[in-house]
Amino acid sequence: MYDVIIIGAGVSGAASARELSRYKVNACVLEREEDVCCGTSKANSAIVHAGYDAAEGSLMARLNVEGNQIMPELARELDFPFNPCGSFVVCLDEESLPDLRTLYERGVKNGVKDLEIITDKARIKEMEPNLADEVAGVLYAPTAGIVCPFNLNIALAENAYTNGVDFKFNTEVTDIRRIEGGWALETNQGVYETRYVVNAAGVHADKFHNMVSGTKIHITPRRGDYCLLDKSAGNHVSRTIFALPGKYGKGVLVSPTVHGNLIVGPTAIDIEDKEATATTREGLDELIAKAGMNVKDLPMRQVITSFAGLRAHEDHHEFIIKELEDAPGFVDCAGIESPGLTSCPAIGRMVAGILKEKLGLEPNPQFNGSRKGILDPDTLTKEEQAELIKQNPAYGNIICRCEMVTEGEILDAIHRPLGARSLDGIKRRTRAGMGRCQAGFCTPRSMELLHRELGLPMTEITKAGGDSKLVAGTNKDRI
């Protein structure tokens, strides 16, 4: 029997696992997909929000600000990309300036530092030359930033794993029932028993909550469509640009990414199907129509891909993080929508704090909070690159030409803790396949590396686990 089982390996589950690994505990994460970061955590805006948007006094507001403050040090400890670039909320008309002031005052009450309302148009244009000409003012939040959501999630999970937490992939929880001393989790891989359950199942968290509690919750999957633009458009803005909802409606954000692209989105479309992550023509049309509301001359012809993610919108628009009164031993980590990515370090601390108290956990003397990410040769000098290639020739073999990803990086991605087992696993860890050609060139070469390093038959290699196989058979089989 485990002490704790966490359902879900997104940022909330991984952050909880990492914080829990600070203690002597027998813990496990169950994930229905083939890798970490396969749900909401992989398809979002990648924004580290400052904290002025959530309602004053809410758990969402508190954890947003706390997570924002933790993020810079966490990025150093776990070696993932983070850029404190700041953000603007753009007001397009004088009559809406009081709404900007309301956001400012809420942010101050929430504890956001260094907020500023700027109405000097010359200064605004100097800071962001491509903002709409009719801008009346902006709320400037210098503590906001951007992050790589994949590497954040992967880093948290790897660090939890190296500190003793088990991870079970392709393991879908189908039922939860009370047993003596804890819970039994029925899965497609058998039964797992545990003293405590942490429900970090994203859009499916209401299903597990409602299995054990008489007080029901309801989560609506809210789809957000995005467009990702080529790196040639990456400098169009230098900060995250948000729209202030007003008489022109609610716009979409425009933001640089930590890897040099430009992202535009999301829409907010409530749906019923919790697996419906495909973009729609209507959603993309809405996105493109709103894209130029606050930022002019957006080069939308430079779009290299579009995608959609689902936010776990709980009916009361609030994080639910607590042990259930009518189900002792079951800890909810539910309703984690935006700013969930920003809040995840604080969410992890809160969940681990609940379990520490309930289980009487002692510190883990072997805990190591540091992790080294995959080496990016571009961060080295020419001399250092030459020496690296001399020591390991795989770093001189380019696999992905768009992103200049080497064989050495992909081998690291495959063989490191919780390593890649699919093309998407490689992509999230190295960016191979995320460039202009969208994996048109590097797919067969990445498949060859998975085949060679893991001994997987080509017919068993998948894009994203499950039935997403790419090769049906060999030519000789058809003769």
Side-chain angles (χ1 to χ4, degrees), residues 95-109:
E95 63 192 66
S96 296
L97 284 174
D99 296 331
L100 208 63
R101 171 64 58 176
T102 298
L103 275 184
Y104 170 85
E105 292 172 353
R106 186 188 302 157
V108 171
K109 291 176 182 177

Side-chain angles (χ1 to χ4, degrees), residues 272-342:
E272 294 183 4
D273 186 352
K274 296 187 177 185
E275 309 300 328
T277 56
T279 56
T280 66
R281 179 69 269 168
E282 295 78 14
L284 292 177
D285 285 345
E286 177 187 342
L287 177 64
I288 292 168
K290 292 181 176 180
M293 184 182 295
N294 300 291
V295 180
K296 63 183 180 181
D297 301 327
L298 273 174
M300 295 304 290
R301 291 176 65 87
Q302 296 298 317
V303 171
I304 60 173
T305 191
S306 59
F307 63 94
L310 301 179
R311 285 161 275 178
H313 176 68
E314 195 273 328
D315 288 351
H316 298 91
H317 190 51
E318 173 66 305
F319 294 162
I320 304 172
I321 304 173
K322 61 183 179 182
E323 183 180 16
L324 301 187
E325 291 183 5
D326 63 346
F330 189 96
V331 178
D332 259 338
C333 186
I336 310 300
E337 59 179 316
S338 180
L341 187 74
T342 309

